[in-house]
Structure formats: C-alpha cells, structure tokens
Amino acid sequence: MSDISVLENRIAAALERIDKAMDGVGDADLQTALAEEKAAKAALEERVAALKERQDGQVAKLTARVAAQQDQLMKLDAELQSLRASNVQLREMNTKLRDAVTTGLSPELHDAAAAAEMEALATQRNADAAEVDAILAELEPLIAGAANATG
C-alpha cells in the first residue's frame, strides 16, 4: 500500500507540473493572441481615421462646389431679372416710339428707345456671360477628373 501512496504522490506531483506547464503555455498564447488583436485593432483604427479624413476632404470639396454653384446661380438669376426688366422697358419704349412715329417723330423718344435697346443688349450680354460662367464651372471638375484619370 505504501507503493500505491508513493505512486499517487508522484502522479499528483506530475499532474501539478503538467498543470503549471499548461498554465504557462496558455498565458504565453493568450499574451500573443492579445498582442495580435491589439495590432489588428490599431490597424483598423488607422484605416478608419484615413477613411474619415478622406471623407471629410470630399465633403469639404463638395460643400465648396455647392457654394460656388449657388453663387453662380444667384448671379445668373440676377442677370436674368435685369434682362427681363430691360426687355419690359424696351417694349414700352418701342410702343411709345411707334405711337410717336404715327403722330409725328419725337427725338427724345427716339433717343430713349435707342438707350433702352443698348441697355437691353448689354444686359443680355451679361446674362449670357453669367450662363457661360455657370457652364464652365460645371465642366471644369469633369475635365480635371478626366485629365487625372488619363494622366
């Protein structure tokens, strides 16, 4: 029986050594896995930060582009309003001029009609220029994007 107790003690000691060895191996494996997970987390955080930075840059570009387009549209609208007002004035002056021609030519009406027509032409040119500016502003990013894609 004493041999059995000695064997039991030896087996118990061996099991303790095995258990301690397993604990040491498990801790090292866990530490390695933890370090790998920390590295993966850091890499993901860097990617998220890069994506956020890129997105913020794109949002800023789009916001600036929208603001520029709004400014151009406001300018175009103002020019069109001015053109409409000049055209109304021109029609009124032409009506007065026709009436004056039928009853006898009045030089001041003729001069006023000519001045109104010149103003209408200048306003039309300004409206056309504003429209061309709006179109060019739309085309510039497309041209730049095509140049970047080919170059």
Side-chain angles (χ1 to χ4, degrees):
M1 278 281 196
S2 72
D3 288 338
I4 292 177
S5 348
V6 170
L7 289 174
E8 283 180 351
N9 286 337
R10 287 180 63 190
I11 290 173
L15 287 174
E16 274 186 46
R17 286 192 308 270
I18 291 171
D19 193 34
K20 286 180 184 178
M22 291 301 285
D23 285 344
V25 169
D27 286 346
D29 289 342
L30 288 176
Q31 293 297 330
T32 302
L34 180 61
E36 289 172 358
E37 288 300 318
K38 284 182 180 180
K41 179 185 174 202
L44 287 174
E45 286 175 347
E46 286 178 27
R47 285 182 63 197
V48 167
L51 288 172
K52 184 181 182 322
E53 184 178 325
R54 187 174 76 192
Q55 182 182 9
D56 289 346
Q58 289 175 343
V59 167
K61 287 179 187 177
L62 289 174
T63 301
R65 186 172 169 192
V66 166
Q69 287 176 347
Q70 285 176 338
D71 288 344
Q72 289 174 336
L73 287 175
M74 289 176 61
K75 181 179 176 183
L76 180 60
D77 185 53
E79 292 294 334
L80 289 174
Q81 294 297 329
S82 179
L83 176 63
R84 288 184 186 113
S86 293
N87 284 338
V88 168
Q89 183 183 12
L90 180 61
R91 281 194 291 280
E92 289 173 356
M93 291 306 297
N94 283 338
T95 301
K96 289 179 183 180
L97 184 58
R98 259 186 262 116
D99 292 343
V101 167
T102 59
T103 60
L105 189 59
S106 173
E108 62 275 355
L109 283 178
H110 185 330
D111 290 344
E117 185 174 2
M118 300 242 334
E119 183 180 336
L121 289 172
T123 304
Q124 177 66 48
R125 187 207 158 283
N126 290 339
D128 290 344
E131 186 175 13
V132 167
D133 288 345
I135 291 169
L136 287 175
E138 284 295 315
L139 290 177
E140 284 176 357
L142 296 174
I143 293 169
N148 288 340
T150 59

